């Protein structure tokens, strides 16, 4: 099973040198354990574009889609046999990046 892990923060690119070192070490732990799929930071919400192509013509709107004090500042996609393992792994991820995380199963169609 794969999980999307959203890093929640009120800033973008705000990791300290110590946090970035801890994140790199955590990422190596994910790789070594066979849980690594992908990870990345995200640009600020103000850089986003929202697309709505449900009508006759697409509408492009400068983002963000949702005005919020906090936003998704980065993400991991991990592989884990079940939610309990994903939560255990990402508890260490939260500690490493010093941020709150949201863990959600990916659904494939």
């Amino acid at each position: 099973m794969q999980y999307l892990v959203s890093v929640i923060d009120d800033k973008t690119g705000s990791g300290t040198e110590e946090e970035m070192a801890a994140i790199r070490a955590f990422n190596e732990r994910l790789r070594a354990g066979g849980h690594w799929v992908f990870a990345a930071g995200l640009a600020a919400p103000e850089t986003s574009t929202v697309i709505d192509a449900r009508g006759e013509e697409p509408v492009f709107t400068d983002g963000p889609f949702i005005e919020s004090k906090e936003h998704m500042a980065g993400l991991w996609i991990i592989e884990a046999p079940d939610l309990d393992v994903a939560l255990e792994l990402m508890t260490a991820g939260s500690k490493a990046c010093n941020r709150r995380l949201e863990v959600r199963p990916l659904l494939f169609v």
Side-chain angles (χ1 to χ4, degrees):
M1 182 108 202
Q2 291 184 342
Y3 296 87
L4 169 66
V5 181
S6 303
V7 179
I8 302 164
D9 199 355
D10 61 348
K11 299 175 210 61
T12 300
S14 64
T16 65
E17 285 185 37
E18 294 81 15
E19 289 168 342
M20 296 309 294
I23 291 167
R24 284 190 293 276
F26 176 70
N27 287 343
E28 286 306 315
R29 176 181 164 197
L30 289 176
R31 286 183 182 98
H35 302 289
W36 175 269
V37 176
F38 179 80
L42 294 172
E46 297 79 29
T47 66
S48 66
T49 302
V50 178
I51 303 168
D52 186 351
R54 294 175 294 175
E56 299 238 350
E57 294 291 323
V59 176
F60 299 88
T61 308
D62 291 338
F65 173 68
I66 298 173
E67 295 291 334
S68 176
K69 192 167 77 171
E70 295 180 309
H71 60 271
M72 187 172 158
L75 64 104
W76 277 281
I77 296 178
I78 63 165
E79 185 86 38
D82 57 46
L83 181 60
D84 290 337
V85 172
L87 294 177
E88 180 181 332
L89 287 166
M90 297 321 295
T91 296
S94 175
K95 188 165 193 70
C97 71
N98 196 32
R99 307 288 187 280
R100 293 184 308 132
L101 304 179
E102 176 186 69
V103 178
R104 296 175 68 180
L106 289 175
L107 304 176
F108 295 96
V109 292

